[in-house]
């Protein structure tokens, strides 16, 4: 029986040895391996600071808190994302709204963003404190333009770069934060690099990094410079904020640092597989992913659209047939605002028609470093049959 998942981690003997070494050491949780992993990612991205956490969800929440998001504030993100991006604002007690996506890139549309900002401004409504673009499938959003709007309208930018470590934008690594305050990576097993569970926030702002470090560990400090009162002894620490336990373990960080040695191979493999899909699927009644010339995607996903103008097969028929053939296709994403929880907040189907239309036709094909030519041929063959 064929079983080809849509994504899968790639673990080497070196990765296993790195984890074993931590298990034999004095530190299991946040310790020297976390610091080393942070340094590796920070250098790779060319960012000033890196703060590892136990998930990207935690890192997005801490990033929002560090930027002061709270009740009475608003955050805007893309509807074409995992629920975690939007939930980060709700954890802070802030309001959430969405900006529809671009037809070609499936990323937040900068045209729609500019229109919405201008319209809210004209009505003297509440402008967002934070805009969170999501680099869908690993391809960067139009960050230069989002950065320009941030300057004009006075909001901060958090990049949800969960899909995009290893990607590039305007010849610089995603995560250099040239056009944002903070960027966040995920190390979930289906993402580019994994730590099992894990995430990291990168920033060029030392104060934001310090705030996220504090929030990562209960809001507790041992730094006399930050304390409100005099030290009561060498045991003394102070809680100066309401923080969380968002710490990454050294076990996870050792895996992450070891994985980072192969990130270029991972991205190269993903590009080779994507290029082969581009070639093999040309001519089928599907829309292939668009490549933005300003960006080099990390190719977390290979999302296609079933083109209903050229086939009578529905997305559901194609999807079911692929799954029945043992091929783990997936759909990214159910628009967040159409989730039952978000409907209770007042969102409606039809609020963001481009994302909804995209969703109805979308299907992600298997894409991971160990997907070899033989397996990929099976995927292509099955897709051809499913569309016939
Ligand atoms: C995976 C993912 C997250 C959450 O990452 P975790 O590390 O699992 O918390 C957030 N946003 C997007 C876009 C994701 O794909």
């Amino acid at each position: 029986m064929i079983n080809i998942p849509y994504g899968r981690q790639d673990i080497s003997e070196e990765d296993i040895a790195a984890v074993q070494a931590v298990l034999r050491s004095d530190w299991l949780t946040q310790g020297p391996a976390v610091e080393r992993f942070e340094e590796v990612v920070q250098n790779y991205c060319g960012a000033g600071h890196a703060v590892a956490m136990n998930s990207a969800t935690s890192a997005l929440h801490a990033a929002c808190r560090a930027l002061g998001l709270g009740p009475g504030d608003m955050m805007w993100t893309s509807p074409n994302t995992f629920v975690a991006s939007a939930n980060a604002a709700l954890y802070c007690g802030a309001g959430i709204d969405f900006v529809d996506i671009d037809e070609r890139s499936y990323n937040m549309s900068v045209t729609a963003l500019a229109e919405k900002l201008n319209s809210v401004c004209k009505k003297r409504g509440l402008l967002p404190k934070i805009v969170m673009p999501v680099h869908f499938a690993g391809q960067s959003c139009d960050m230069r333009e989002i950065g320009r709007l941030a300057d004009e309208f006075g909001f901060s930018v958090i990049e949800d770069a969960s899909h995009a470590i290893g990607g590039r934008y305007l010849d610089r690594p995603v995560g250099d934060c040239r056009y944002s305050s903070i960027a966040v990576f995920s190390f979930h097993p289906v993402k580019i690099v994994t730590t099992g569970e894990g995430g990291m926030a990168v920033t060029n702002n030392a104060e934001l990094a310090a705030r996220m470090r504090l929030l990562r560990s209960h809001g507790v400090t041992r730094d006399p410079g930050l304390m409100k009162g005099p030290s009561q002894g060498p045991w003394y620490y102070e809680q100066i904020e309401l923080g969380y336990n968002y710490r990454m373990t050294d076990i996870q960080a050792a895996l992450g640092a070891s994985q980072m040695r192969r990130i270029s191979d991972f991205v190269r493999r993903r590009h080779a597989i994507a290029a082969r899909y581009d070639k093999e699927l040309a001519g089928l009644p599907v829309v292939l992913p668009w490549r933005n010339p300003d960006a080099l995607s990390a190719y977390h996903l290979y999302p296609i659209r079933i083109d209903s103008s050229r086939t009578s097969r529905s997305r559901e028929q194609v999807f079911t047939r692929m799954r029945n053939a043992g091929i783990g296709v997936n759909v990214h994403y159910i628009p967040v605002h159409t989730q039952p929880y978000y409907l209770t907040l007042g969102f409606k189907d039809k609020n963001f028609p481009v994302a909804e239309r995209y969703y109805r036709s979308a299907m992600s094909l298997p894409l991971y470093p160990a997907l070899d030519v033989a397996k990929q041929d099976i995927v292509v063959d099955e897709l051809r049959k499913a569309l016939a």
Side-chain angles (χ1 to χ4, degrees):
M1 182 63 198
I2 293 162
N3 180 15
I4 302 175
Y6 89 89
R8 192 185 196 283
Q9 69 277 12
D10 188 295
I11 302 293
S12 68
E13 288 306 316
E14 287 75 17
D15 292 343
I16 293 168
V19 170
Q20 280 183 343
V22 168
L23 291 173
R24 292 181 214 284
S25 78
D26 292 337
W27 285 91
L28 291 187
T29 191
Q30 188 179 295
V34 165
E35 274 179 37
R36 275 198 299 276
F37 183 35
E38 288 174 339
E39 209 176 286
V40 167
V41 173
Q42 179 184 324
N43 292 339
Y44 179 80
C45 298
H49 312 269
V51 186
M53 282 177 251
N54 57 5
S55 71
T57 304
S58 302
L60 290 168
H61 180 204
C64 287
R65 282 276 322 264
L67 284 163
L69 191 73
D73 294 327
M74 188 59 100
M75 185 179 95
W76 292 0
T77 187
S78 168
N80 183 34
T81 186
F82 186 53
V83 293
S85 319
N87 287 348
L90 301 181
Y91 295 155
C92 299
I96 183 75
D97 204 352
F98 302 90
V99 178
D100 211 345
I101 61 170
D102 176 78
E103 281 281 359
R104 271 201 307 189
S105 67
Y106 319 135
N107 277 330
M108 178 186 282
S109 155
V110 289
T111 316
L113 176 60
E115 276 169 14
K116 189 166 175 129
L117 287 164
N118 279 306
S119 130
V120 168
C121 208
K122 210 177 282 164
K123 286 188 265 182
R124 303 198 177 276
L126 185 59
L127 283 167
K129 183 166 193 156
I130 294 173
V131 171
M132 182 185 286
V134 181
H135 304 317
F136 179 70
Q139 180 160 268
S140 175
C141 296
D142 187 352
M143 292 308 298
R144 191 167 41 185
E145 192 55 24
I146 292 170
R148 202 189 58 70
L149 290 167
D151 291 341
E152 185 183 341
F153 289 91
F155 57 81
S156 300
V157 178
I158 298 174
E159 299 171 68
D160 183 342
S162 290
H163 299 181
I165 194 166
R168 296 178 71 80
Y169 175 69
L170 296 177
D171 279 331
R172 306 255 291 259
V174 169
D176 77 343
C177 298
R178 189 159 33 145
Y179 300 105
S180 68
S181 295
I182 299 168
V184 169
F185 299 123
S186 170
F187 306 122
H188 182 279
V190 296
K191 308 287 164 73
I192 311 292
V193 159
T194 192
T195 60
E197 294 279 358
M200 199 178 291
V202 287
T203 179
N204 291 322
N205 182 317
E207 210 176 298
L208 289 176
R211 233 174 276 161
M212 289 190 284
R213 284 205 182 91
L214 195 64
L215 290 165
R216 161 174 79 174
S217 211
H218 308 280
V220 161
T221 184
R222 289 177 187 276
D223 177 355
L226 294 176
M227 288 183 186
K228 311 290 175 196
S231 172
Q232 296 169 12
W235 62 85
Y236 192 63
Y237 58 84
E238 277 187 356
Q239 184 189 342
I240 57 173
E241 272 271 10
L242 182 60
Y244 315 92
N245 180 352
Y246 282 172
R247 290 187 298 265
M248 177 181 274
T249 67
D250 262 26
I251 306 166
Q252 294 166 305
L255 177 55
S258 178
Q259 289 254 302
M260 283 299 291
R261 292 163 173 264
R262 289 185 291 144
I263 187 166
S264 311
D265 296 340
F266 290 159
V267 174
R268 210 175 308 124
R269 267 303 292 153
R270 286 174 176 278
H271 270 265
I273 295 164
R276 200 152 175 276
Y277 274 140
D278 286 350
K279 195 167 116 254
E280 298 293 326
L281 303 182
L284 291 184
V286 294
V287 180
L288 303 180
W290 175 70
R291 293 190 197 206
N292 182 343
D294 286 342
L296 181 91
S297 178
Y299 265 119
H300 165 51
L301 300 173
Y302 190 88
I304 63 170
R305 300 182 75 164
I306 312 303
D307 184 351
S308 58
S309 70
R310 291 190 286 154
T311 177
S312 56
R313 300 277 175 229
S314 71
R315 189 268 310 266
E316 204 208 322
Q317 285 175 318
V318 177
F319 187 97
T320 306
R321 191 172 162 147
M322 297 291 282
R323 278 282 178 97
N324 288 344
I327 296 168
V329 287
N330 217 324
V331 170
H332 302 91
Y333 284 99
I334 304 166
V336 177
H337 68 282
T338 68
Q339 293 288 353
Y341 181 80
Y342 279 81
L343 295 179
T344 70
L345 302 180
F347 292 103
K348 302 219 167 9
D349 287 335
K350 305 195 170 51
N351 278 165
F352 304 99
V354 186
E356 291 164 32
R357 227 170 22 243
Y358 164 70
Y359 161 62
R360 286 195 293 271
S361 67
M363 192 171 78
S364 303
L365 299 182
L367 176 54
Y368 53 93
L371 185 75
D372 57 24
V373 168
K375 288 205 192 84
Q376 197 179 7
D377 281 344
I378 295 172
V379 176
V380 171
D381 268 2
E382 289 296 339
L383 182 61
R384 199 171 280 135
K385 282 190 252 167
L387 287 163

